[in-house]
Amino acid sequence: MENEKEGFPITALREIRILQLLKHENVVSLLEICRTKATQFNRYKSTFYLVFEFCEHDLAGLLSNANVKFSLGEIKKVMQQLLNGLYYIHSNKILHRDMKAANILLTKNGVLKLADFGLARAFSHSKGQPNRYTNRVVTLWYRPPELLLGERNYGPSIDLWGAGCIMAEMWTRSPIMQGSTEQHQLQLISQLCGSITRDIWPGVDNLELFTKLELPAGQKRKVKERLKLYVRDQFALDLLDKLLALDPKQRIDADSALNHDFFWTDPMPLELGRMLSQHTTSMFEFLAPPRRRGIHPHGGQKPMQQPNPDQHFERVF
Amino acid sequence: MFPSSTQLKFWTYSGTAELNRLRIEANQQFVQKYGREYNEVSRNEFFLNTAEETKIRRHYEYVLKEFCNGFQPTMPRYVLGTAMMYLKRFYLHNSVMNFHPEDIVYTCVYLACKVEEFNVSILQFVANVKSKREEMAEMILSQELLLMHELHYHLTVHGPLRPLEGLFIDIKTRCPDVLETEQLRRGAEDFIDRSFHTDACLIFAPSQIALAALLSCSSKFGLNLDSYVANKLVVSSDKEDMMKMVENIKRINLILKTTETLDRGQVKELLAEAGAMSQPGEQPQE
């Protein structure tokens, strides 16, 4: 609670309300809120703690450990639970807005939990007046093209882009597009998903930054082509292709994704408990060595320019 | 959803008897803590009793409402509902002798603005008071955490206005033969407004208050909503459910009827008395 001119931060209020609303197996559950007493030793500033149920691992930590191997069935289970969580929060009209592997927790029994609702907010489908949400959300590497182009009237599809990035990461084991600036991130996206044009994305030219940023032209879409070096399963490639659709209106939603053949063909989704039971130490991103040293400082620091709402909290897992 | 809310789980009580018990407890706790050196007679004279506390609290409910209604920029009505609920919850477990409602009222409204996403800065907020704006801002920010703590961080409030809107939409879609539903709006909203000054919101589901509001004024306009309620709204075939609902609607009406109007002149005297009582430095700090 340092330097809060407006009192308790509104992002933290939202986080608390959202966590109290959401009750689902695949969403982390808030057990308690406590605060320290304001005393002279902390300059009369309380610190708040949100106490969550304990989860042994986070997905970024697991993926950075080469000894942790996911079979195809296990990858399906991870993605199925992730999409189940997204389906649930989206039907409760909540956007997560910070999807990334480090915010996906796993218990030792293999139950996946979406965590860190520090940037989350409620959304409504705008009638008449378009919504004007901030577009300075989502960690850069997982940020969808519409946010990079300045869209402020966005919806659940922003979280599904992140789900696509995470799904690919299940095979590549490191984030697939590690841009250093917003401009660079858009370049990487175009190189993988093809050029951003009016033809493949009707109305994209209305976005504020469409003309202001440099968008590579003449790029072919190579999602399947490039990812098939890692991903051999045809259904997986097809689902990835649909999650990483440039146009948010064409991007697959959580419900349809859960109905995708990927989850309903052999090998079927497989419980993760057995595989995880071979690993007895916790794996979190912040305990793992940086996954790509030197390219981008990532160790716990979000590549975001906006004030990080996390600084008001220390999380206790 | 209300059925899975903290409101139902932690802040919905069985009836006025339970609420009164909690208020007596809050009052007694304060008196016992700070009245040890008084003998019984002077203690009763010196401290406020629960009935007096209730009058003061109710006075500040009107202060809260008037502040919200005059607020610039215009404040959505559900912000008032949320702030009012915070005020009521806060004084279920605290005595007005311990925390002056003058402070708590504005803190409740400020927190409700944030929670309900009616975004005003603290400067805009205190621009709505006539004087001592800086002191007010400082006071609000210093009390906010205390308020949140006393509310047990249960910040989401379900009010009766949304369900009322839902009932209007439902009647218009499913009972097109009920004409001129809109003429009920004013009366129903008045009913809800009056319910804010009673304990109804601490006892009943917001949708029940909304329905009671709608039914209470429908008879005045000669509209009969009985068949809507019996055949469309309550789909459960269980007769007991229906009886229970009818019973609750009656109880809501009764609470509204029996809540006495407040003599605010009398409260001013009480406040003067209470003001003389609290000495600086004596007020316990969190």
Side-chain angles (χ1 to χ4, degrees):
Chain A
M1 288 290 298
E2 297 275 330
N3 307 323
E4 288 301 337
K5 279 201 201 86
E6 302 290 327
F8 197 79
I10 192 155
T11 48
L13 281 176
R14 281 182 190 149
E15 180 169 12
I16 291 172
R17 287 187 66 206
I18 287 169
L19 288 163
Q20 284 171 345
L21 163 80
L22 301 174
K23 294 183 181 82
H24 188 269
E25 198 186 20
N26 298 125
V27 175
V28 73
S29 72
L30 175 66
L31 301 178
E32 212 173 326
I33 300 167
C34 31
R35 58 167 185 166
T36 56
K37 268 212 161 73
T39 63
Q40 53 175 321
F41 302 111
N42 53 28
R43 286 174 296 140
Y44 299 99
K45 304 275 186 195
S46 296
T47 304
F48 276 77
Y49 295 91
L50 301 191
V51 184
F52 293 97
E53 63 182 320
F54 184 72
C55 296
E56 279 77 2
H57 314 286
D58 73 43
L59 195 55
L62 288 170
L63 290 174
S64 56
N65 186 328
N67 297 321
V68 181
K69 295 193 168 64
F70 289 94
S71 70
L72 182 56
E74 285 159 352
I75 290 179
K76 289 185 185 185
K77 191 73 189 176
V78 168
M79 286 311 297
Q80 193 175 45
Q81 296 186 77
L82 190 153
L83 290 164
N84 255 327
L86 281 183
Y87 174 73
Y88 172 78
I89 69 164
H90 291 163
S91 22
N92 278 285
K93 296 274 178 280
I94 299 294
L95 302 176
H96 185 281
R97 304 204 297 182
D98 198 11
M99 291 293 288
K100 58 174 170 178
N103 286 340
I104 308 295
L105 307 183
L106 280 157
T107 69
K108 67 175 191 303
N109 300 322
V111 181
L112 176 146
K113 316 260 177 194
L114 302 183
D116 194 350
F117 286 75
L119 288 178
R121 66 161 295 147
F123 70 95
S124 56
H125 296 290
S126 56
K127 286 180 213 120
Q129 277 284 356
N131 293 317
R132 287 180 58 76
Y133 306 144
T134 171
N135 49 41
R136 304 209 65 90
V137 285
V138 190
T139 307
L140 186 59
W141 298 347
Y142 298 84
R143 201 179 298 165
E146 64 271 28
L147 291 184
L148 292 163
L149 290 171
E151 177 69 277
R152 299 188 64 175
N153 185 25
Y154 51 82
S157 47
I158 62 156
D159 290 336
L160 285 136
W161 176 272
C165 296
I166 294 167
M167 179 170 169
E169 214 172 314
M170 294 302 298
W171 284 276
T172 62
R173 308 290 293 212
S174 64
I176 55 168
M177 291 177 279
Q178 305 185 9
S180 49
T181 59
E182 280 148 31
Q183 173 69 62
H184 184 210
Q185 190 68 26
L186 274 168
Q187 246 159 26
L188 295 176
I189 290 175
S190 302
Q191 282 160 16
L192 180 68
C193 305
S195 293
I196 298 171
T197 64
R198 263 172 288 186
D199 289 340
I200 63 118
W201 181 351
V204 66
D205 47 322
N206 297 327
L207 293 178
E208 203 186 314
L209 301 177
F210 181 71
T211 45
K212 295 191 182 129
L213 286 167
E214 218 177 287
L215 295 172
Q219 294 283 341
K220 254 181 61 195
R221 187 170 174 86
K222 298 180 202 126
V223 174
K224 288 187 180 176
E225 189 185 324
R226 280 183 51 195
L227 287 173
K228 78 174 176 220
L229 302 173
Y230 303 88
V231 188
R232 252 157 268 149
D233 186 79
Q234 282 310 307
F235 295 115
L237 285 170
D238 188 66
L239 180 54
L240 277 164
D241 195 45
K242 293 188 157 84
L243 287 166
L244 295 174
L246 287 169
D247 181 355
K249 283 188 284 302
Q250 294 171 47
R251 203 171 297 148
I252 193 167
D253 65 18
D255 188 29
S256 319
L258 285 165
N259 284 325
H260 192 276
D261 287 339
F262 178 61
F263 297 109
W264 304 99
T265 42
D266 282 328
M268 289 295 279
L270 181 68
E271 291 298 331
L272 299 153
R274 178 177 296 190
M275 184 273 282
L276 289 173
S277 67
Q278 300 163 19
H279 306 281
T280 48
T281 51
S282 270
M283 279 169 265
F284 292 114
E285 188 195 40
F286 72 91
L287 296 172
R291 281 191 281 176
R292 282 190 62 176
R293 194 182 290 277
I295 290 192
H296 194 84
H298 188 57
Q301 199 73 48
K302 291 181 184 180
M304 280 192 302
Q305 274 114 44
Q306 68 164 37
N308 180 352
D310 273 2
Q311 70 197 8
H312 314 291
F313 292 96
E314 292 177 34
R315 285 185 164 66
V316 182
F317 289 102
Chain B
M1 256 178 42
F2 180 72
S4 59
S5 64
T6 53
Q7 181 167 334
L8 178 63
K9 201 168 169 197
F10 301 103
W11 298 97
T12 300
Y13 298 87
S14 55
T16 30
E18 190 181 4
L19 294 171
N20 289 338
R21 209 193 64 228
L22 289 171
R23 287 171 183 146
I24 290 170
E25 267 173 33
N27 173 270
Q28 284 304 306
Q29 244 172 27
F30 182 87
V31 173
Q32 271 157 25
K33 197 166 170 193
Y34 297 96
R36 253 174 267 145
E37 60 235 56
Y38 297 80
N39 66 38
E40 198 170 331
V41 178
S42 62
R43 188 157 58 201
N44 290 345
E45 235 166 57
F46 187 73
F47 291 98
L48 297 169
N49 61 34
T50 313
E52 290 165 331
E53 282 207 43
T54 298
K55 280 186 189 139
I56 291 178
R57 177 178 50 79
R58 289 191 58 207
H59 167 74
Y60 276 99
E61 290 179 2
Y62 288 97
V63 171
L64 186 151
K65 183 165 83 180
E66 284 149 17
F67 178 72
C68 288
N69 287 343
F71 198 88
Q72 285 303 321
T74 309
M75 181 186 283
R77 296 192 56 197
Y78 49 82
V79 180
L80 160 70
T82 299
M84 192 69 95
M85 187 68 115
Y86 289 166
L87 184 69
K88 285 175 191 285
R89 289 180 183 178
F90 183 87
Y91 285 112
L92 274 182
H93 302 289
N94 291 293
S95 162
V96 297
M97 295 181 279
N98 202 356
F99 300 104
H100 200 302
E102 183 81 37
D103 299 344
I104 299 300
V105 158
Y106 297 105
T107 314
C108 285
V109 180
Y110 183 65
L111 183 63
C113 286
K114 283 205 257 186
V115 167
E116 297 294 353
E117 306 262 348
F118 175 61
N119 295 323
V120 284
S121 70
I122 187 79
L123 287 176
Q124 265 178 301
F125 188 89
V126 296
N128 284 280
V129 293
K130 285 180 205 87
S131 59
K132 293 193 178 172
R133 289 175 180 159
E134 262 174 46
E135 284 96 324
M136 166 82 97
E138 205 174 302
M139 182 279 298
I140 289 174
L141 297 180
S142 69
Q143 299 278 11
E144 191 185 27
L145 297 182
L146 163 85
L147 174 64
M148 287 175 61
H149 185 75
E150 290 298 318
L151 298 172
H152 304 148
Y153 306 98
H154 298 144
L155 304 172
T156 305
V157 170
H158 297 258
L161 289 166
R162 265 172 77 100
L164 179 69
E165 210 53 54
L167 286 168
F168 275 125
I169 295 170
D170 193 43
I171 294 175
K172 282 182 207 166
T173 11
R174 294 200 293 168
C175 302
D177 51 311
V178 179
L179 297 168
E180 310 200 42
T181 342
E182 273 303 316
Q183 64 185 12
L184 300 180
R185 184 178 291 277
R186 185 105 181 261
E189 285 181 356
D190 272 0
F191 185 100
I192 285 172
D193 203 60
R194 277 187 290 137
S195 83
F196 283 152
H197 298 287
T198 71
D199 287 334
C201 60
L202 293 168
I203 302 171
F204 301 100
S207 57
Q208 289 175 337
I209 298 175
L211 184 60
L214 201 59
L215 295 177
S216 89
C217 55
S218 67
S219 50
K220 284 179 204 148
F221 283 95
L223 284 178
N224 193 343
L225 293 174
D226 290 355
S227 91
Y228 162 71
V229 174
N231 303 325
K232 298 267 167 70
L233 189 63
V234 186
V235 282
S236 157
S237 55
D238 192 345
K239 220 174 163 189
E240 223 167 273
D241 282 355
M242 185 72 184
M243 299 286 284
K244 207 173 156 200
M245 197 195 71
V246 172
E247 171 71 26
N248 279 341
I249 303 285
K250 279 188 190 155
R251 283 177 68 198
I252 293 169
N253 281 312
L254 190 70
I255 285 187
L256 258 75
K257 258 192 212 128
T258 52
T259 304
E260 291 166 30
T261 43
L262 188 68
D263 177 357
R264 292 181 71 180
Q266 195 195 356
V267 174
K268 297 250 162 71
E269 283 166 34
L270 264 176
L271 278 170
E273 198 182 306
M277 185 187 77
S278 73
Q279 286 147 14
E282 200 192 49
Q283 291 224 349
Q285 290 293 316
E286 243 283 27

